[in-house]
Amino acid sequence: NWIDVGRFSPDPNDRRELRLLWQIPESAFVVGAVGRLSSQKGYRYLVEAAAEILAVAPKTVFVVVGSGEELLPLKQMVQALDIDHAFRFPGFVSEIERVYPVFDLFVLPSVYEPFGLVVLEAMAAGLPVVASATGGVVEIIEDKLNGLLVPPGDSKALAQGIVNLMENMEALAKPMAARAKQLVRDRFDRNAAISRIESLYLEEDV
């Protein structure tokens, strides 16, 4: 698995334009998620976590990018919790690289995730990441080194992890994000991966 790292270099214009489009104040701290809106992705746990986060950080905005069968249940859930003002559901975005600059932190609340390419994309964009310790995610994130891992399906742990990074951006989140970005460049960049595969074929030919 790899990504085109260069595609995810943050563009400040995207941050300004999409925040304006999605009616997000520039001063807001944005927790973002990207993926298909299905039960496997665990967005209900993000909504539950959001209710706790907003109690201590009321200016936080949550942006969930994607489409799927869970969209309506999630909207009903945020309304029932009276936190719909803090959520944005912009739907499917084709130029996904434009989305990441809008975020200040990326979250992957999946119950199960085979690998997690969106985690690599967020890391390449320089975002601190909080993710469920499931599937291939644990092959990407080393807990407390280049991201935070939380138990899947645990909204309280998810809330605590997000708040921890929000409250410690300089000392904790930004150094994690820098190490994560370097990891993606070293191990998961498309060009580097292709070069390694070519080298293997050349060794076999010899």
Side-chain angles (χ1 to χ4, degrees), residues 144-147 171-172 174-184:
K144 299 182 179 64
L145 180 67
N146 56 17
L172 184 60
K174 288 185 178 180
M176 277 185 179
R179 288 190 289 268
K181 189 170 186 175
Q182 190 60 52
L183 171 75
V184 176

Side-chain angles (χ1 to χ4, degrees), residues 190-206:
R190 180 183 65 177
N191 293 330
I194 290 172
S195 295
R196 288 196 297 270
I197 293 170
E198 286 178 342
S199 296
L200 286 173
Y201 275 112
L202 289 172
E203 288 176 10
E204 289 295 326
D205 289 342
V206 172

Side-chain angles (χ1 to χ4, degrees), residues 1-166:
N1 291 287
W2 62 70
I3 62 169
D4 180 358
V5 170
R7 180 184 170 198
F8 296 95
S9 298
D11 185 337
N13 290 326
D14 290 332
R15 181 181 178 90
R16 287 191 295 269
E17 290 174 9
L18 291 182
R19 281 198 173 206
L20 183 62
L21 178 65
W22 296 339
Q23 298 180 317
I24 301 171
E26 184 53 38
S27 60
F29 188 96
V30 175
V31 175
V34 174
R36 181 170 47 86
L37 303 187
S38 67
S39 57
Q40 173 200 328
K41 298 296 183 179
Y43 290 119
R44 66 182 300 267
Y45 302 109
L46 176 59
V47 173
E48 291 173 353
E52 295 191 30
I53 293 164
L54 289 165
V56 296
K59 293 184 179 180
T60 309
V61 173
F62 300 85
V63 178
V64 181
V65 178
S67 60
E69 66 274 13
E70 285 290 295
L71 178 58
L72 182 57
L74 288 170
K75 285 185 174 181
Q76 292 171 336
M77 190 175 178
V78 298
Q79 288 173 352
L81 291 170
D82 197 25
I83 56 173
D84 50 313
H85 64 281
F87 269 82
R88 307 291 187 272
F89 294 97
F92 174 77
V93 178
S94 58
E95 295 177 301
I96 198 62
E97 67 275 9
R98 298 192 64 209
V99 165
Y100 293 102
V102 177
F103 305 157
D104 295 298
L105 181 149
F106 183 82
V107 61
L108 185 82
S110 298
V111 177
Y112 176 73
E113 191 68 45
F115 185 71
L117 284 176
V118 290
V119 171
L120 297 183
E121 294 173 357
M123 287 177 161
L127 293 171
V129 175
V130 179
S132 298
T134 180
V137 175
V138 297
E139 299 175 21
I140 305 170
I141 295 179
E142 187 173 343
D143 189 34
K144 299 182 179 64
L145 180 67
N146 56 17
L148 283 186
L149 293 173
V150 298
D154 189 335
S155 57
K156 288 190 178 296
L158 186 61
Q160 290 169 359
I162 293 170
V163 170
N164 187 15
L165 292 191
M166 289 174 65

